[in-house]
């Protein structure tokens, strides 16, 4: 493994040649753009895939039942939930059951020069798990064992296919808590959460996935098994390889085991809702909350578009006349009531029309559930906005310094008006991490173009405000150009150098991220 | 930059040749071991250093006053505070004032094939900052500006030479808090803290340095300036290069700016002392505290050797008859008294003879101060233990899962007896991170050998208990062999590949870590 990178060629599926460049780029010979902008999607007809000799190797190693080539099934594994992203048709989907089987798959694919695309539950929103035509998709869903829960060490050891909610419930039974809670938590896998460094609503106080990953087992492009990190609370032995793999979107290795840190089960929390006459006023309240040194355990913003979409999707008496709503929670035990009062003061000072506390846990849970419905509710809203069900949703993700949140919200409103597309805004206001959701008519090229323009203008605004092009959804295929703009040419070269060092043939999830 | 790594040779100081291998190894031709175990120290006489042409380049770029070649000064910059580690005599010590000057130094050194060793305050305990003979030492002490403190974004932007305590005080004036508090915090620099991923007493609740580093500016081996990370609370744009550089001990680049996250100023805390008849009972209490879901903001252990050393160093009425003392604090505001009571219960259940709370902030501060004096007090104790002031202290650092702490403490006591060397134990018990401090007679080869044997046995014990060879002090020169043992051959190869990708000529802090 880890041989010096060099120019080499590999035949993929016997149809076209991919030229593998030193930096892990995979470009079709007729796609010079790929050499400049990274690894472009390989697309083409693929006669004869069913007879690819790699399939025999895979079946020999995993058994027939774990190697899927049914066209419907392949199509079902073509993509994650991101819009605006291309995807290809894989040669096969394999479902290894353990690390040895992953090693066998990666080694076999390497021998045949075939790309490998890891997939969890395909709930990602950046196309990072999208299939590459002719690749082997490694689905980790059959690797779903919770191997260990240690209440004293406050760690759990799990296979990558364990669903976030399943881990959360398993540790809760032991009085422990796994905080990262992406919107997809009921279906997304820990492996996918780690590969994308997933965020969620708890992050504002408790941090994102990478804060909870202590160690990993990873199958490298060479087929070697790397163990990173530790089981201890602290450790500084060597480079932080664990965090290099967290968020690397499957481009550096296939994660086969995860050791996570846990916390004691959270205390009871109190929840507050503040209703604002403008989204910018809500943004101002977020800055005020930070400035006052308050640390809510949840601080979410929903704009009017989302409030209406959620109320239409599941009526629950939300204030659909409000321009924006802030949902906050505090969980500092005996101090909670004091903290809630201080939050309330800040919201009123920032211009809130009305502030009320949830009367009990049931009401608080209902408010949280409303927030969790934002995504499906907006998808329904988008679908119904245009005739024939052609409405689609481009889910964006941008983070700015908390103090610039009001400017971001104002700017998104301006962009919506200028581009003549509906944009609703929802997100983790306490982190300055918002999801402007752009409604487009998939059947109308003009609408798609305006949506794309709005998307780009939001990205540009985010960077101009000192922010980042992705707060939690990742780069995948959706934001490669924006990543390059954010990190600059030196940053891109360092990414390419690390990729080439660990995956010299560029076979691991090619074309993603950069 | 980042050209494919290859075999090349460089002349260093015109005296001997260093052969630079692909993986960033620098080995003397007569040291074949270096090819297997990483980069060995270059040692030799160095006539003609004063005339090295690189010096002219450095003086032209930085001015004469920032290029130091006085032999006493060079000797003063030869090493950090680690014992048992070799060091060399640098060609020069330079004190750049800004990033451009660091770029000029790195480029000039690169042109001449001369190694670059970054140094902060040289308070490290693993030899990571030790000079390599013939190298240019880049001291960051003149880059000591706090550039920005943003109370809403809760970040600060600082140059690497800012002393930890200076940053802590500057942000405290704005109602903010920078938690990482290594023992050296009054003198160590943020750049050094970042390069070693320094820990401290706050870590048990608030995490280590890497949890607080949002972004970096780094001068790469090529002289290019890389910006990593972000100013936002969240962000997942690209590989986590920030954390790749945190803890990389100067082997991947020279850090020239750090963006850190801050917290609101901490609440008042309550402090508790528990006195134990055995160290293992204190270890059991730590496990019980974790098991009960308690989250003290400080949980430190001092054994009888340390209690006596501290009391001798500065009499303050410590219970020197105790076998071990646990020092705990809680800072959850209105809940603190409850939490303290629960901590107390656990300690008594684990066998504590006596538990008492600090009566006021002054007493609590005195107890903390006692803990902070452990290091100098033990150095004094070691010096006085053997005639002629030849006593020395080998400060070890090992972390095990919290549930194995009692076994570690028992094991260290056995090792001390078997090796016939005095070993005191102090450390961050709540993290399972202990510092067994081995007292040796520098003038007695037998004592040194026994001390070395005890050191190795403690490392072996730590790994056997599922721990790591370094919880917070780092690898440097002291623990290269133990790092290799901990991470295994695949881990070493991945380290080498990343090093070669970013520093193909192996000129950045050669010989450190692996």
């Amino acid at each position: 493994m880890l041989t010096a990178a060099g120019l080499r060629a590999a035949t993929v599926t016997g149809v076209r040649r991919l030229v593998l460049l030193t930096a892990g780029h995979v470009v079709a010979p007729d796609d010079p753009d790929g050499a400049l902008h990274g690894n472009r999607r390989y697309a083409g007809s693929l006669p004869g895939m069913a007879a690819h000799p790699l399939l025999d190797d895979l079946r020999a190693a995993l058994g027939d039942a774990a190697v899927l080539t049914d066209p419907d099934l392949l199509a079902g594994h073509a993509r994650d939930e991101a819009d605006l992203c291309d995807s290809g048709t894989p040669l096969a989907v394999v479902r290894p059951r353990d690390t040895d089987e992953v090693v066998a798959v990666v080694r076999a694919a390497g021998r045949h020069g075939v790309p490998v695309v890891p997939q969890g539950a395909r709930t990602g929103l950046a196309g990072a798990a999208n299939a590459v035509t002719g690749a082997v998709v490694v689905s980790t869903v059959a690797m779903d064992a919770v191997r260990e829960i240690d209440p004293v060490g406050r760690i759990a050891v799990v296979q990558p296919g364990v669903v976030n909610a399943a881990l959360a419930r398993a540790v809760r039974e032991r009085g422990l808590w796994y905080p990262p809670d992406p919107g997809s938590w009921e279906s997304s896998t820990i492996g996918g959460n780690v590969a994308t460094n997933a965020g969620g609503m708890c992050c504002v106080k408790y941090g994102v996935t990478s804060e909870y990953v202590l160690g990993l087992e990873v199958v490298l492009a060479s087929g070697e098994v790397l163990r990173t990190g530790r089981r201890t609370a602290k450790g500084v032995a060597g480079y932080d390889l664990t965090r290099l793999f967290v968020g690397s979107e499957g481009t550096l290795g296939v994660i086969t085991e995860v050791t996570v840190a846990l916390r004691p089960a959270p205390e009871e929390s109190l929840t507050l809702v503040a209703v604002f006459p403008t989204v910018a006023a809500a943004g101002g309240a977020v800055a005020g909350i930070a400035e006052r040194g308050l640390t809510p355990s949840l601080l979410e913003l929903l704009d009017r578009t989302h409030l209406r979409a959620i109320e239409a999707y599941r009526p629950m008496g939300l204030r659909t006349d409000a321009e924006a709503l802030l949902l906050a929670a505090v969980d500092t035990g005996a101090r909670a009531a004091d903290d809630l009062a201080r939050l309330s003061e800040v919201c009123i000072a920032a211009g809130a029309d009305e502030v009320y506390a949830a009367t009990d846990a049931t009401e608080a849970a209902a408010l949280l559930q409303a927030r969790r419905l934002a995504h499906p509710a907006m998808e329904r809203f988008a679908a119904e906005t245009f005739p024939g069900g052609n409405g689609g949703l481009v889910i964006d993700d941008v983070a700015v310094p908390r103090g610039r949140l009001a400017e971001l919200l104002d700017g998104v409103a301006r962009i919506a008006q200028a581009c003549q597309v509906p944009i609703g805004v929802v997100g983790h206001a306490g982190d300055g991490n918002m999801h402007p959701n752009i409604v487009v008519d998939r059947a109308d090229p003009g609408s798609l173009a305006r949506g794309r323009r709005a998307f780009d203008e939001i990205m540009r605004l985010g960077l101009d405000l000192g922010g980042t092009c992705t707060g939690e959804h990742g780069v995948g295929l959706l934001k490669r150009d924006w990543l390059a703009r954010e990190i600059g040419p030196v940053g891109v070269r360092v990414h390419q150098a690390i990729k080439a060092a660990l995956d010299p043939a560029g076979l691991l999830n090619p074309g993603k991220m950069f």
Side-chain angles (χ1 to χ4, degrees), chain A:
Chain A
M1 67 146 295
L2 302 171
T3 58
L7 200 66
R8 51 169 292 199
T11 303
V12 174
T13 73
V15 178
R16 289 174 64 171
R17 287 169 66 81
L18 300 190
V19 180
L20 308 178
L21 302 179
T22 50
H25 287 173
V26 178
V27 291
D30 55 350
D31 175 20
D33 208 21
L36 293 171
H37 296 292
N39 191 356
R40 294 302 175 192
R41 185 179 64 92
Y42 175 85
S45 60
L46 290 154
M49 281 213 313
H52 196 291
L54 170 57
L55 294 174
D56 297 333
D57 289 4
L58 296 174
R59 290 185 184 115
L62 274 61
D64 288 359
V67 181
L68 313 171
T69 55
D70 174 81
D72 287 348
L73 207 145
L74 296 184
H77 283 75
R79 56 190 309 130
D80 64 18
E81 294 184 11
D83 223 315
L84 291 189
C85 291
D86 293 329
S87 64
T89 303
L91 169 68
V93 173
V94 296
R95 290 189 179 150
R97 281 146 296 203
D98 59 29
T99 303
D100 287 347
E101 291 193 347
V102 175
V103 168
V105 170
V106 171
R107 285 196 193 276
R111 283 196 301 274
H112 292 274
V114 170
V116 169
V117 177
Q119 278 185 356
R122 300 187 307 283
T123 54
L125 292 164
N130 283 13
V132 172
T133 291
V136 176
V137 165
V138 178
S139 167
T140 61
V141 293
M143 297 175 70
D144 63 349
V146 175
R147 291 209 161 128
E148 182 185 347
I149 297 172
D150 171 2
V152 175
R154 285 188 196 144
I155 62 167
V157 181
V158 304
Q159 284 189 304
V162 171
V163 169
N164 181 304
L167 173 61
R169 279 190 277 267
V171 304
R172 188 60 74 99
E173 284 170 15
R174 308 288 295 271
L176 294 161
W177 181 32
Y178 177 68
D181 60 344
S184 59
W185 76 298
E186 285 283 3
S187 53
S188 64
T189 64
I190 296 298
N193 293 173
V194 170
T196 57
N197 193 9
M201 295 204 279
C202 289
C203 306
V204 65
K205 183 166 181 182
Y206 294 103
V208 297
T209 299
S210 68
E211 313 300 331
Y212 293 88
V213 182
L214 291 178
L216 295 172
E217 181 188 78
V218 183
V219 176
L220 300 172
S222 62
E224 290 175 297
V225 178
L226 171 71
R227 292 203 73 97
T228 75
R230 54 186 207 273
R231 295 167 59 91
T232 53
K234 277 165 78 180
V236 292
Y239 296 157
D240 190 347
L241 298 181
T242 303
R243 271 140 165 185
L244 180 60
F245 283 96
V246 174
S248 64
E249 300 186 348
T251 62
L252 298 178
V254 182
I255 294 165
T256 50
E257 190 182 275
V258 185
T259 301
V260 296
L262 305 170
R263 297 179 64 95
E267 306 165 31
E268 70 289 5
S269 64
L270 295 179
T271 302
L272 172 146
V273 177
V275 180
F276 290 88
T278 67
V279 283
V286 171
I289 288 166
E291 201 163 17
R292 288 278 293 272
L294 297 168
T295 54
S297 54
L298 179 134
L299 188 53
E300 299 286 314
L301 182 148
L302 297 113
D303 74 352
R304 191 182 201 173
T305 305
H306 280 85
L307 291 170
R308 291 184 172 190
I310 295 165
E311 190 64 21
Y313 186 74
R314 195 165 304 171
M316 51 175 77
L318 291 175
R319 281 280 302 269
T320 53
D321 59 324
E323 282 300 322
L325 189 146
L326 271 187
L327 189 59
V330 290
D331 63 2
T332 46
R335 278 197 44 168
D338 275 359
D339 283 347
L340 210 65
R342 293 169 72 201
L343 280 177
S344 176
E345 278 167 32
V346 175
C347 288
I348 289 166
D353 292 328
E354 195 181 346
V355 179
Y356 56 96
T359 48
D360 55 25
T362 309
E363 192 183 359
L367 286 163
L368 261 184
Q369 185 57 17
R371 166 63 185 90
R372 287 211 178 270
L373 289 176
H375 182 168
M378 273 298 283
E379 295 224 305
R380 159 97 62 95
F381 169 76
E384 291 175 351
T385 297
F386 295 101
N390 282 321
L393 196 63
V394 180
I395 298 172
D396 206 349
D397 168 46
V398 59
V400 296
R402 274 181 291 258
R404 314 295 298 267
L405 184 60
E407 289 168 80
L408 175 71
L409 294 168
D410 270 345
V412 170
R414 271 199 314 276
I415 290 166
Q417 198 158 38
C419 298
Q420 291 292 301
V421 285
I423 306 179
V425 181
V426 64
H428 314 300
D431 286 319
N433 180 199
M434 299 309 296
H435 302 308
N437 290 324
I438 306 166
V439 180
V440 293
D441 181 355
R442 293 174 204 265
D444 173 5
S447 170
L448 283 170
R450 291 195 303 278
R452 181 79 221 186
R453 195 179 122 217
F455 177 88
D456 285 335
E457 300 230 338
I458 291 168
M459 291 287 91
R460 190 173 295 115
L461 172 64
L463 295 190
D464 286 348
L465 292 172
T468 175
C469 68
T470 172
E472 59 178 14
H473 291 172
V475 175
L477 292 169
L478 189 63
K479 294 187 173 174
R480 288 184 306 187
D481 294 341
W482 284 103
L483 175 70
R485 200 178 295 208
E486 180 171 337
I487 65 178
V490 177
V492 171
R493 282 201 290 280
V494 170
H495 274 74
Q496 291 169 338
I498 290 170
K499 168 76 173 173
L502 293 180
D503 179 20
L507 291 181
L508 291 177
N509 209 10
K512 308 304 165 57
M513 193 180 288
F514 58 89

